[in-house]
Amino acid sequence: MPKPHEPVMDLIRASMDPASRTARLRIDSPACRVVIAAARADAEEGGNSRVVTLATGTAVSATGLTMLLAEHRHVTTEVFIDHLEAAKHEMDPHGRSPDVTVVMRSLLTEHPMQESARVLTDAFLQDQEGFCDLIVDLAEYAASAIKLLQQNKVATQEQTLAELDGMLEEFVGTA
């Protein structure tokens, strides 16, 4: 039986697949297929535990990786996220809300689990399809961060994935 955090790792690995970024249709994207499969399984059971695990797991992963990148750049995590928001705004001034930075900032508050739950719940209630897109966006950001850590010779992809796997196993086990 798979461990509860493994779907999150599957999603992040699928996001590292170049086909996830080049697919013309969602069903052709390995990352989207992971989220769609979780949503379908939840719908069959009348629940949402798989999608919630993907959302929270990818949010925690993206935030943790951002902390590593910020540390490597010798800036605070908040400053690093400010730079991400500025770059995103330049590329897409009318971007969707919430985006990955909103979710990551929610995990940097005084009450991270409550605040991130509020942000993710609001996103789900506003637009369920957009919520699934947000999960994919978080996973794609995490995949990009993993690649950036390797490019900057902070850690190999394999090392980062192994550390992330251990962190997620502990996080999901305590959540």
Side-chain angles (χ1 to χ4, degrees), residues 56 60 102-103 105-123 171 175:
T56 56
V60 167
V102 173
V103 178
R105 282 191 193 283
S106 74
L107 284 164
L108 299 173
T109 63
E110 188 175 336
H111 303 287
M113 295 318 295
Q114 294 89 338
E115 186 61 21
S116 64
R118 184 194 62 75
V119 168
L120 292 171
T121 299
D122 288 351
F171 172 76

Side-chain angles (χ1 to χ4, degrees), residues 27 35-45 51:
I27 199 67
V35 175
I36 290 168
R40 284 185 180 149
D42 279 350
E44 287 174 11
E45 290 179 2
V51 173

Side-chain angles (χ1 to χ4, degrees), residues 19-34:
S20 282
R21 295 185 189 252
T22 60
R24 293 185 187 261
L25 301 173
R26 285 184 187 188
I27 199 67
D28 295 333
S29 164
C32 288
R33 282 194 295 250
V34 171

